[in-house]
Amino acid sequence: MDVYVGKGLGAIKEASENTAINLKLKNGESTEIRFIVPVDELISVYEHTEKINDRWRTIRCLGKDNCPLCKAGKYASFKTYIPVYDYKDQRVKIFKASKTVGLTIVGLAEEYGDLRKRKFKILRQGEGNNTTYQFFARDPDEFDASDLKIPNIEELIKPMSPEEIENLINQKVSSVEPTTPNTEGGFPF
């Protein structure tokens, strides 16, 4: 894994611009979105979601024959990564759609054609595994997406090697002593 090191305020700005934000809605919440890439360019993968060191991690599945998580009996779910423009926040976000929601989007594309030509209100209802999303199509209108920075989905979902996955799932929280000030009031180095 490459480690990014940046310097100065420009590095902070660049890192924030290159960070993909997920579209997250709570039960009963809605927003208006616009699909900003053609549906035939959407990327779908199987992935695992595991809690490691009290933090949820998404790990791309390598297939049942190569994936340490599959070999350990863990379930991989099908996700489609959809870049959308969220009108509420006026920014590009990634909507991670389940297989069920993906099939809904297939139906929308069959009904309306190019989904980039209209806004959609998206409404989340439910929690956890009992979540559904409803889409309400708006009338077609013009939208210029040429200035939008679309995240590189392939880079976001780049698979780890089996060894990297093994190392990740075998991590333990280290017991680090808290740093205390020395007698001069500074921190020991």
Side-chain angles (χ1 to χ4, degrees):
M1 176 188 296
D2 294 334
V3 176
Y4 172 79
V5 177
K7 188 173 183 179
L9 295 177
I12 296 170
K13 184 177 180 194
E14 180 183 337
S16 68
E17 289 173 352
N18 290 330
T19 301
I21 303 292
N22 287 333
L23 176 69
K24 293 186 181 193
L25 299 172
K26 296 177 183 166
N27 181 23
E29 191 176 10
S30 67
T31 191
E32 283 194 337
I33 62 166
R34 179 166 312 254
F35 294 85
I36 54 176
V37 298
V39 292
D40 60 347
E41 292 180 16
L42 297 179
I43 297 174
S44 300
V45 296
Y46 280 91
E47 61 187 25
H48 298 274
T49 303
E50 295 294 318
K51 194 169 192 175
I52 300 171
N53 291 337
D54 293 325
R55 185 173 156 232
W56 287 103
R57 297 284 308 255
T58 300
I59 302 164
R60 184 168 166 187
C61 182
L62 303 176
K64 64 181 179 178
D65 295 333
N66 298 319
C67 181
L69 289 166
C70 286
K71 289 178 181 179
K74 303 287 185 168
Y75 175 75
S77 58
F78 185 82
K79 296 292 182 180
T80 300
Y81 284 71
I82 307 168
V84 298
Y85 182 78
D86 182 0
Y87 283 91
K88 187 185 299 182
D89 294 337
Q90 298 183 354
R91 68 180 300 170
V92 174
K93 294 184 178 180
I94 303 296
F95 179 49
K96 278 179 43 171
S98 67
K99 187 185 295 186
T100 304
V101 175
L103 290 171
T104 299
I105 292 168
V106 168
L108 291 171
E110 289 172 354
E111 179 69 23
Y112 298 109
D114 188 349
L115 299 181
R116 297 173 298 167
K117 296 193 180 285
R118 62 181 71 230
K119 293 179 191 176
F120 288 86
K121 177 181 175 184
I122 180 173
L123 170 67
R124 176 185 173 154
Q125 296 194 333
E127 298 286 336
N129 291 333
N130 294 322
T131 301
T132 60
Y133 290 91
Q134 292 179 293
F135 292 84
F136 303 93
R138 303 300 193 214
D139 290 336
D141 64 352
E142 294 296 318
F143 183 78
D144 182 12
S146 62
D147 289 339
L148 297 178
K149 185 166 174 65
I150 300 172
N152 182 340
I153 303 295
E154 290 181 30
E155 189 63 33
L156 287 173
I157 61 169
K158 194 163 105 178
M160 291 188 240
S161 70
E163 295 79 21
E164 290 171 318
I165 294 173
E166 285 283 348
N167 289 338
L168 185 65
I169 61 177
N170 290 328
Q171 282 184 3
K172 302 284 185 234
V173 177
S174 62
S175 56
V176 176
E177 293 293 320
T179 307
T180 56
N182 66 19
T183 55
E184 286 85 40
F187 286 91
F189 292 104

